[in-house]
């Protein structure tokens, strides 16, 4: 189905059970060369690069809800590549470089804004960890620098640097090329460009089963719109990966948690950058619409709820009011949650699986938005060539058996 507002509206209406068959089940082909499960930024981007760089045009992206309605449309859009280990630096830096030219590439303004991401240190441990990251990044040619407390205040004048705070600010790590983008624009930009190359994007189409032949290779997916055949399936369904992989009897090292965020009423610009504090569980930036965008840590319990505990938000707002006293009289406009899937080493899985024809892209936890273009680019390579791109070669499922982990718990920058 081609990408147009009329077709999208038809698909949305087709969810209604009383519509005639031809409306409820708009044209899906009987089979595709590849099927991507999940129309978030990573899934749509994968379809785009499969079509553009690997000449695979007979592809479908299947989405149980609506395009970009998962974490892609629910996140706080922080982009950065200041991770610790070489594997992660390679992956996230690849992504930041693609962000820099993505609007031109897609002819769609994704509003990438490299306004700087500053991570606050409140303890001696924080200082040591962040300085280690600064050095590790600079050795790889990735920008990251250490700021004193006063320099941090100069970079973000609304920051409270009083010494009598609960957790005084002792310094900060700053990645100037880090920043933000517009979440739904990424999804729509990739969707439009993929569709123009012939990719089918099918909403209201939930994958309920994975069929395999006698040798174990995939042969297609059972969906709410019927069976669709394919020899290649890419699962890109953040938060729900374990459920889908279980359909092929693959057990994943993942846990799903709610993660939430909120925005204030819109105000004139007061904040020039992104500020994050893992230690006190809060981060903030200001959107181009003027809202203060505030994020919390994950809930303490696994769940598939897209809301999250209220006590988590109130804890975060306490921290925000202490860090930015100017926010104390602001009102909240709306809050929401998403479901993130988290691996034991807080790094993603981006790989082939033990099942022939089944590929998985998951485990981004609280931090996969920044990775959208880079992840999609190397995942498309992995699916098309049936082997990983050098950039994602280390992000296997097997590392949880061999012990060759990529521990990025400290770089996650959001409380887990
Ligand atoms: P999604 O956008 O979630 O797409 C997956 C899709 O799969 C969904 O649309 C879902 O409906 C679909 N699906 C699920 N099951 C099925 C099925 N059975 N059949 C068909 N479709 C299915 N990351 C950052 O880098 N920076 C941030 O600032 C940041 N902030 C965040 C704040 C919050 C509150 C949250 C929740 C997340 C945040 N993240 C952030 C993480 C980031 O949002 C995700 O890692 C990223 O968006 C994942 O993209 P995706 O395309 O893999 O998943
Ligand atoms: O990974 O930078 C990040 C992030 C910020 C907020 C949520 N995730």
């Amino acid at each position: 189905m081609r990408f147009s507002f009329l077709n999208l509206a038809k698909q949305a209406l087709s969810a209604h059970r009383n519509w005639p068959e031809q409306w409820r089940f708009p044209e899906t082909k009987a089979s595709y060369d590849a099927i991507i499960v999940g129309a978030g930024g990573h899934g749509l981007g994968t379809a785009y690069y499969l079509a553009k760089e690997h000449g695979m045009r007979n592809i479908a992206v299947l989405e149980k809800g609506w395009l970009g309605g998962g974490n892609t449309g629910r996140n706080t859009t922080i982009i950065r590549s200041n991770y610790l280990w070489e594997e992660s630096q390679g992956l996230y830096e690849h992504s930041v470089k693609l962000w820099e030219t993505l609007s031109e590439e897609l002819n769609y303004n994704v509003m990438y804004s490299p306004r700087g991401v500053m991570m606050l240190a409140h303890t001696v441990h924080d200082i040591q960890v962040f300085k280690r990251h600064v050095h590790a990044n600079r050795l790889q040619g990735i920008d990251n620098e250490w700021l004193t407390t006063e320099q941090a205040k100069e970079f973000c004048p609304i920051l409270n640097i009083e010494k009598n705070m609960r957790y005084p600010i002792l310094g900060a790590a700053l990645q100037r090329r880090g920043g933000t983008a517009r979440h739904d624009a990424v999804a729509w930009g990739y969707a439009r460009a993929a569709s123009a190359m012939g990719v089918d994007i099918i909403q209201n189409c939930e994958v309920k089963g994975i069929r395999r032949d006698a040798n174990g290779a995939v042969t297609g997916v059972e969906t709410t719109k019927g069976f669709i055949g394919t020899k290649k399936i890419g699962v890109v369904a953040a938060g729900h990966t374990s459920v889908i992989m279980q359909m092929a009897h693959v057990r994943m090292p993942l846990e799903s948690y709610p993660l939430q965020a909120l925005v204030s009423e819109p105000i004139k610009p007061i904040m020039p950058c992104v500020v994050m504090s893992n230690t006190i569980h809060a981060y903030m930036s200001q959107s181009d619409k003027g809202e203060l965008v505030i994020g919390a840590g994950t809930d303490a319990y696994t769940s598939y709820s897209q809301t999250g505990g209220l006590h988590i938000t109130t804890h975060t707002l306490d921290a925000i009011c202490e860090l930015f006293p100017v926010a104390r009289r602001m009102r909240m406009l709306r809050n929401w949650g998403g479901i993130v899937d988290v691996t034991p080493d807080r790094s993603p899985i981006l790989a082939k699986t033990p099942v022939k024809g089944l590929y998985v892209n998951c485990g981004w936890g609280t931090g996969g938005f920044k990775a959208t273009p880079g992840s999609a680019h190397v995942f498309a390579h992995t699916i098309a060539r049936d082997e990983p791109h050098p950039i994602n070669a280390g992000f296997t499922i097997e590392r949880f058996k061999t012990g060759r982990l990529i521990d990025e718990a400290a770089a996650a920058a959001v409380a887990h």
Side-chain angles (χ1 to χ4, degrees), residues 72 81 162 316 378:
T72 299
S81 59
E162 294 295 323
T316 292
V378 297

Side-chain angles (χ1 to χ4, degrees), residues 37-43 62-66 69-72 74-78 205-207 236-238 240 244 259-261 283 336 338 340 364-370:
V37 184
H42 290 239
L62 308 183
E63 167 55 50
K64 77 170 176 182
W66 65 96
N71 289 341
T72 299
R74 294 164 185 271
N75 76 89
T76 46
T77 82
I78 296 173
C205 182
E206 180 172 359
V207 170
V236 202
H240 304 274
I244 298 170
L259 178 68
Q260 54 186 316
Y283 58 91
W336 64 91
V340 299
W364 294 98
T366 59
F369 178 73
K370 66 176 78 63

Side-chain angles (χ1 to χ4, degrees), residues 76 78-80 83 117 119 259 276 283 296 366-368 370 411-414:
T76 46
I78 296 173
I79 296 171
R80 56 190 174 84
Y83 283 72
V117 174
M119 292 169 137
L259 178 68
M276 307 187 70
Y283 58 91
T366 59
K370 66 176 78 63
V414 176

